[in-house]
Amino acid sequence: MSKDKAKKSAKKKQKQQQPEANPTTLLRSEPLPPIEGPGRAMVIMAHPDDADFLCAGTVAKWCAEGWEVVYVVVTSGDKGTHDPAMHPEKLAAIREEEQREACRVLGVKECIFLGYPDGFTSESAELRGQIVRLLRLYRPDVVITWDAFRGTFNHRDHRNVGQATMDAIYPIVRDRLFYQHHEHEGLESHQVNEVLLAGAEKPDYAVDITDYWETKIAAILCHTSQLGGRTREDFLRDRAEREKREPGKPIEERFRRWSIRRPPRMPQQAQAGAEPRPKPQRAAG
């Protein structure tokens, strides 16, 4: 065999051995720029207090920068107690008010409760449809939700809410023929550009919340029913001990980031240079 043929054969063999390019891998081949705003964000969680323990510092930072942030809480947390005198309806009312108060502390624009029973959330077409509708109504640039894909222990509600949210974001919310009845409400398809998965096993994106740590703790302290008697002094003591161990280290909230970074799909009429179909009016909030 000639040298040229041998080189071509070696190159062909090397090419065959290489795995096919994965679009997600290609998107991550270059460092992603930080998420900057102000913009619109939606935090979709399973229970009252989930968001505040996981990402209240990020939310406080965004609200201070002028972001419009909306919370969506799938359940009312009506099972989260050891109190023998408590019943689900009373606990749900308590926890919903605790979450509303935390939102007021952070500057969250609106808090929406979907009212599913705690512990019984399923990754259903009904839940996906409700999430898709809210995404099309509020049109967030960024969504924060639970990481449904981590391999370690994961609460059923956390896992299913994360899965339903990810399925709603890609590809359902951007493709108008999914839940097409939304168009009759004046809601157009929408593309979410960034997703931050909280509670991730292997986070790859950090937000420095050092300047907003006290606001995060104030939001957490609103959830009195879930704190087991912990006070602001307890959190301050924990921070002081951390500062002794790691002086000057920033306080961070960490996520696994999914950046879609695709141009939104254009209607076929517009692509062909024809007159696009009339846009429906957006439903009143």
Side-chain angles (χ1 to χ4, degrees):
M1 182 184 292
S2 67
K3 289 184 178 180
D4 289 341
K5 286 184 178 181
K7 286 181 181 180
K8 287 180 181 179
S9 178
K11 286 182 179 179
K12 184 177 180 181
K13 185 176 181 181
Q14 184 180 11
K15 186 176 181 181
Q16 289 173 341
Q17 291 175 343
Q18 290 176 346
E20 292 185 7
N22 184 316
T24 306
T25 304
L26 292 176
L27 287 175
R28 290 185 176 274
S29 61
E30 298 178 2
L32 295 174
I35 295 173
E36 295 179 340
R40 290 188 296 269
M42 180 173 284
V43 180
I44 305 174
M45 291 290 166
H47 311 102
D49 83 7
D50 285 354
D52 300 320
F53 278 100
L54 290 167
C55 61
T58 300
V59 170
K61 180 177 186 293
W62 286 348
C63 289
E65 293 172 350
W67 285 64
E68 179 182 291
V69 182
V70 173
Y71 272 19
V72 177
V73 185
V74 173
T75 83
S76 297
D78 55 280
K79 306 294 193 301
T81 185
H82 297 291
D83 183 351
M86 187 64 69
H87 56 81
E89 294 78 13
K90 181 179 179 181
L91 183 59
I94 290 171
R95 296 196 67 186
E96 285 185 9
E97 184 51 40
E98 288 174 346
Q99 183 63 86
R100 291 188 186 96
E101 181 58 30
C103 286
R104 287 189 281 269
V105 167
L106 296 170
V108 171
K109 178 182 178 182
E110 189 172 352
C111 184
I112 300 162
F113 293 93
L114 298 186
Y116 284 75
D118 188 356
F120 291 89
T121 307
S122 62
E123 197 281 302
S124 63
E126 178 186 10
L127 177 58
R128 284 196 304 275
Q130 288 176 292
I131 294 172
V132 168
R133 184 183 182 280
L134 290 169
L135 292 172
R136 288 173 174 171
L137 177 62
Y138 290 94
R139 310 184 76 76
D141 306 295
V142 183
V143 168
I144 302 178
T145 192
W146 276 106
D147 186 353
F149 312 110
R150 72 184 193 189
T152 56
F153 175 78
N154 205 350
H155 188 298
R156 170 188 174 84
D157 290 342
H158 300 171
R159 181 174 63 250
N160 286 333
V161 167
Q163 184 68 64
T165 301
M166 292 296 287
D167 289 344
I169 289 170
Y170 181 80
I172 296 175
V173 72
R174 70 171 192 173
D175 292 346
R176 56 174 289 267
L177 295 183
F178 285 106
Y179 302 98
Q180 195 175 6
H181 63 278
H182 290 163
E183 291 187 332
H184 303 307
E185 303 177 51
L187 303 178
E188 293 185 323
S189 58
H190 173 64
Q191 178 171 296
V192 176
N193 294 314
E194 299 280 355
V195 182
L196 296 180
L197 299 177
E201 187 177 0
K202 296 179 180 179
D204 57 14
Y205 185 76
V207 178
D208 184 342
I209 65 159
T210 307
D211 293 340
Y212 301 92
W213 179 84
E214 290 193 18
T215 307
K216 174 187 174 87
I217 298 307
I220 290 173
L221 289 171
C222 293
H223 299 279
T224 308
S225 69
Q226 304 300 300
L227 291 177
R230 292 197 75 191
T231 65
R232 184 172 184 273
E233 286 66 34
D234 293 322
F235 287 101
L236 289 172
R237 190 180 306 111
D238 291 344
R239 180 171 181 180
E241 291 174 358
R242 178 186 185 274
E243 184 63 24
K244 286 181 182 178
R245 293 192 308 270
E246 302 171 313
K249 184 178 180 179
I251 301 174
E252 295 178 332
E253 289 175 339
R254 300 183 64 81
F255 309 91
R256 189 154 66 93
R257 180 178 175 185
W258 185 39
S259 184
I260 298 175
R261 302 177 70 195
R262 292 191 182 97
R265 290 185 174 183
M266 298 294 292
Q268 289 183 353
Q269 300 98 319
Q271 290 176 359
E275 194 70 24
R277 64 184 179 85
K279 289 186 177 181
Q281 295 297 311
R282 177 178 172 181

